Amino acid sequence: MGKVRVSFSLDPDLMERFDRWIRHRGYTNRSEAFRDMVRECQVEEAWTRANHEVAAAVVLVYSHAHLLSRHLIEEEHRHHRWVLARTHVHLDEENCLEVVLLRGPAKEVARLGHRLISRTGVKFGRLVPATTGKDLI
Ligand code: NI
């Protein structure tokens, strides 16, 4: 596939910060960093379209004392169409870490993710928006 050459101007300070940032991230050149930034914009944009198919990871930390596992599993069963997989590890005597992988229309995936996170007893919850990768180059 051919490439398009892009040139744009930036303040020297901003360029310096960008170069520092790409070094910290482990990029070896500006082009690869820029490509990833554009892909990130694409993923973000896809999430604004309700029916667009997306993937996501929901990260949950909770105390198993709340019988929360059961509620979470019930919720996942109710929306099994969107649940790809789940992983549960016992962090210590009390705490559990769970990662639920979802795939489906952005609206449904976001709704289910937020429903899991907002359950009483969840100490930490994050919906990590991802992509099925189909539309990315
Ligand atoms: Ni556990």
Side-chain angles (χ1 to χ4, degrees), residues 67-136:
L67 295 174
L68 196 60
S69 284
R70 231 189 80 201
H71 295 300
L72 292 173
I73 287 174
E74 278 168 14
E75 193 78 64
E76 289 167 34
H77 270 280
R78 263 198 297 280
H79 302 92
H80 63 90
R81 290 178 64 191
W82 320 128
V83 179
L84 294 173
R86 72 200 304 271
T87 305
H88 180 111
V89 292
H90 315 305
L91 292 173
D92 56 30
E93 286 77 9
E94 190 199 334
N95 295 294
C96 306
L97 168 69
E98 202 160 293
V99 179
V100 188
L101 300 172
L102 307 176
R103 176 191 197 149
K107 192 173 134 198
E108 303 296 339
V109 166
R111 187 186 291 158
L112 177 55
H114 290 128
R115 199 172 292 158
L116 295 172
I117 289 166
S118 62
R119 290 283 326 204
T120 307
V122 173
K123 295 178 175 180
F124 173 88
R126 281 280 185 282
L127 172 68
V128 184
T131 169
T132 61
K134 278 186 211 157
D135 304 326
L136 295 189

Side-chain angles (χ1 to χ4, degrees), residues 2-10 15 30-31 34-35 38:
K3 298 240 188 283
V4 180
R5 228 167 216 295
V6 184
S7 84
F8 50 85
S9 42
L10 278 180
M15 192 70 248
R30 289 172 179 163
S31 294
F34 187 71
R35 276 192 286 271
V38 174

Side-chain angles (χ1 to χ4, degrees), residues 39-51:
R39 290 184 190 116
E40 222 172 291
C41 294
Q42 257 188 286
V43 172
E44 241 173 68
E45 208 271 324
W47 276 79
T48 66
R49 285 178 274 144
N51 292 319

